[in-house]
Amino acid sequence: PDTSQTPPTHLPDTSGRCNAFLATWLLKEPLRRRDLLGMAFIVAGVVLLVLGVPQTVVKLTDEVVVSEVLPSPSCWAYLSGLLLAVIALLCGAKRHAHKHPLYNLTLCALIASVTVIAARSFSSMVTLAFQGYAPPAANATTDDSVANASSASGPPPPPLAPPPPPPPPPL
């Protein structure tokens, strides 16, 4: 397969696993089974993310977000599930957050997932703006739409004039 368009996110972050092993080796901290299980879950999560990344790079413009992302049922299922999880965690925060340190961490991680998505979208749009990307004009038509419109509304528009010939080479 063509890997020229593969995003650089396929390299997993190994600092957490390295820190765990270095702390065990240098600081003589115990490396428990639950630590290893946590690292295994992290690796599994990274693998799932890598496998879920599409092989094509899409220019994430405002038109793509409005026409493809927002109408998608998976987008609304994700946002609905996220909202329900945040509300559920907020409702139980007074009772459970002081006893369970992962409670607030989970709440922050859920909210941060939206921040990551928003930052990625904003970054793509700013990058495209600085690269000179201009969205297609609202009245611009493609060949298919011209053909469909011409059959319904009259004769097709005249063809564009060919470009002028190149100047002769200097002698």
Side-chain angles (χ1 to χ4, degrees):
D2 180 24
T3 58
S4 63
Q5 294 183 348
T6 304
T9 57
H10 287 135
L11 298 174
D13 181 24
T14 58
S15 63
R17 292 181 298 284
C18 289
N19 286 344
F21 290 117
L22 286 175
T24 302
W25 178 49
L26 297 174
L27 302 176
K28 307 299 182 213
E29 290 187 8
L31 184 62
R32 299 173 298 246
R33 278 188 293 183
R34 68 178 176 186
D35 298 332
L36 293 172
L37 182 64
M39 286 190 271
F41 279 131
I42 291 170
V43 170
V46 168
V47 168
L48 289 175
L49 284 174
V50 168
L51 293 176
V53 171
Q55 292 299 319
T56 59
V57 178
V58 176
K59 288 185 178 180
L60 193 57
T61 64
D62 54 346
E63 289 91 8
V64 170
V65 171
V66 170
S67 66
E68 295 179 24
V69 176
L70 290 179
S72 169
S74 60
C75 170
W76 290 105
Y78 171 74
L79 290 176
S80 300
L82 182 73
L83 182 64
L84 290 174
V86 168
I87 290 171
L89 286 171
L90 286 174
C91 289
K94 283 188 178 182
R95 191 175 341 150
H96 301 291
H98 65 283
K99 291 186 277 186
H100 305 287
L102 290 180
Y103 198 90
N104 288 327
L105 184 64
T106 303
L107 183 61
C108 291
L110 288 173
I111 296 170
S113 69
V114 176
T115 306
V116 169
I117 294 168
R120 162 70 169 91
S121 300
F122 181 75
S123 169
S124 292
M125 290 179 202
V126 168
T127 302
L128 289 173
F130 280 115
Q131 289 176 347
Y133 173 79
N139 59 359
T141 57
T142 61
D143 293 337
D144 292 339
S145 62
V146 168
N148 292 338
S150 65
S151 63
S153 64
L160 297 174
L171 295 175

